[in-house]
């Protein structure tokens, strides 16, 4: 698992900070991201939205609140963790694993065990976050809350999206006409029989740099052959 950390601090007054832990798609990216922010930087209330380096929107696992002590230029806030001289991530270790009441003693490398521990920590954070969301939903299932006849359905849906950290989206279909120009290098002994229309049809492609935009199909309709240079 790759881990990214972003720590944002101020150098003056004591501030209340929030530590956000995100996890990206475990089947593709499997990146764990931690962001610590304080109100002094103008972050909006609610969830800090980020984008993983892979381009996906990671899932919020947990939010922890803490207090950042006052700092000044004389304070050294940098801490370093030294790797012990005896540490070797490739060393084999044997540990006890109990599955359905049956104890096993697998032997794996240290770095593989670290990966398993990171996955367990990620799952524990995700479970804690899910339990918190369920608790908030149950708190709204009251006569004064969502069962109130004066409560509008849209209000309930907005509350649900806020609790779940979900942004509802709708897919928009579109068709675009593109005008593309360029140059192609052709060997001189192939110039006489070279057909730019087939070449462009076989080699030109259309894609999107936006993760939310997907190009389903494309077609080369017309190619205007220019003069040789």
């Amino acid at each position: 698992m790759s881990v990214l950390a972003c720590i944002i601090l101020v150098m003056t007054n004591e501030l209340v900070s929030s530590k956000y832990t995100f996890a990206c798609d475990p089947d593709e990216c499997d990146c764990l991201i931690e962001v610590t922010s304080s109100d002094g930087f103008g972050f909006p209330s609610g969830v800090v939205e980020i984008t993983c380096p892979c381009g996906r929107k990671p899932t919020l696992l947990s939010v922890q609140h803490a207090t950042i002590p006052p700092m000044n230029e004389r304070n050294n806030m940098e801490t370093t963790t030294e790797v012990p001289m005896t540490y070797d991530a490739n060393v084999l270790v044997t540990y006890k694993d109990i599955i359905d009441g049956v104890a096993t003693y697998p032997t794996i490398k240290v770095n593989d065990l670290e990966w398993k521990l990171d996955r367990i920590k990620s799952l524990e954070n995700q479970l804690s976050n899910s339990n918190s969301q369920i608790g908030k939903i149950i708190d709204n299932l009251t006569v004064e809350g969502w069962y109130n006849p004066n409560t509008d359905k849209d209000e309930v849906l907005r509350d649900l999206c806020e609790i779940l950290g979900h942004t509802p989206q709708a897919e928009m279909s579109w068709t675009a006409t593109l005008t593309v120009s360029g140059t192609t290098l052709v060997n001189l002994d192939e110039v006489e029989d070279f057909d730019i229309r087939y070449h462009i049809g076989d080699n030109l492609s259309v894609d999107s740099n936006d993760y939310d935009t997907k190009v389903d199909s494309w077609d080369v309709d017309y190619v205007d052959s220019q003069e040789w240079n």
Side-chain angles (χ1 to χ4, degrees):
M1 169 180 287
S2 56
V3 178
L4 297 180
C6 176
I7 302 177
I8 306 175
L9 303 177
V10 297
M11 299 297 291
T12 54
N13 297 329
E14 184 177 273
L15 294 174
V16 175
S17 66
S18 298
K19 178 182 177 182
Y20 298 85
T21 302
F22 299 85
C24 199
D25 188 343
D27 297 327
E28 297 290 340
C29 176
D30 196 25
C31 182
L32 182 67
I33 304 174
E34 293 182 350
V35 178
T36 301
S37 66
S38 66
D39 295 339
F41 286 88
F43 282 101
S45 58
V47 177
V48 174
E49 294 186 355
I50 64 172
T51 300
C52 181
C54 72
R56 297 176 174 84
K57 292 293 184 182
T59 302
L60 176 65
L61 299 181
S62 64
V63 180
Q64 298 178 350
H65 300 288
T67 300
I68 301 176
M71 300 165 51
N72 54 55
E73 294 181 355
R74 295 180 181 179
N75 291 337
N76 182 10
M77 295 300 295
E78 295 183 0
T79 59
T80 59
T81 302
E82 295 185 1
V83 180
M85 296 292 294
T86 57
Y87 175 78
D88 185 354
N90 293 314
V91 170
L92 295 176
V93 295
T94 301
Y95 68 99
K96 183 178 181 179
D97 189 11
I98 301 177
I99 302 177
D100 296 330
V102 179
T104 60
Y105 299 88
T107 299
I108 60 176
K109 289 184 178 181
V110 169
N111 52 9
D112 292 330
L113 181 58
E114 291 173 345
W115 183 88
K116 289 175 67 70
L117 293 174
D118 280 339
R119 292 291 301 145
I120 292 173
K121 180 181 177 181
S122 176
L123 291 173
E124 288 177 344
N125 290 334
Q126 187 173 2
L127 178 60
S128 175
N129 183 61
S130 297
N131 288 336
S132 175
Q133 292 173 331
I134 293 173
K136 292 179 181 178
I137 292 174
I138 292 176
D139 290 341
N140 281 281
L141 298 177
T142 63
V143 175
E144 294 80 11
W146 294 341
Y147 278 101
N148 190 320
N150 295 323
T151 301
D152 188 71
K153 182 186 73 172
D154 291 340
E155 182 179 348
V156 175
L157 293 175
R158 284 194 299 269
D159 290 342
L160 273 174
C161 289
E162 181 177 353
I163 292 173
L164 299 176
H166 173 68
T167 301
Q169 295 178 317
E171 188 173 83
M172 175 187 293
S173 299
W174 50 268
T175 301
T177 300
L178 305 177
T179 300
V180 183
S181 63
T183 60
T184 300
L185 292 175
V186 182
N187 294 337
L188 291 179
D189 57 355
E190 299 176 3
V191 167
E192 184 176 351
D193 299 324
F194 187 79
D195 193 324
I196 188 61
R197 294 170 298 178
Y198 290 111
H199 181 81
I200 294 299
D202 291 339
N203 295 281
L204 187 67
S205 63
V206 179
D207 202 352
S208 171
N209 293 325
D210 179 10
Y211 180 75
D212 294 326
T213 302
K214 180 177 65 175
V215 177
D216 295 320
S217 62
W218 56 272
D219 180 54
V220 177
D221 182 58
Y222 172 76
V223 177
D224 181 18
S225 178
Q226 302 295 322
E227 297 181 356
W228 296 95
N229 294 324

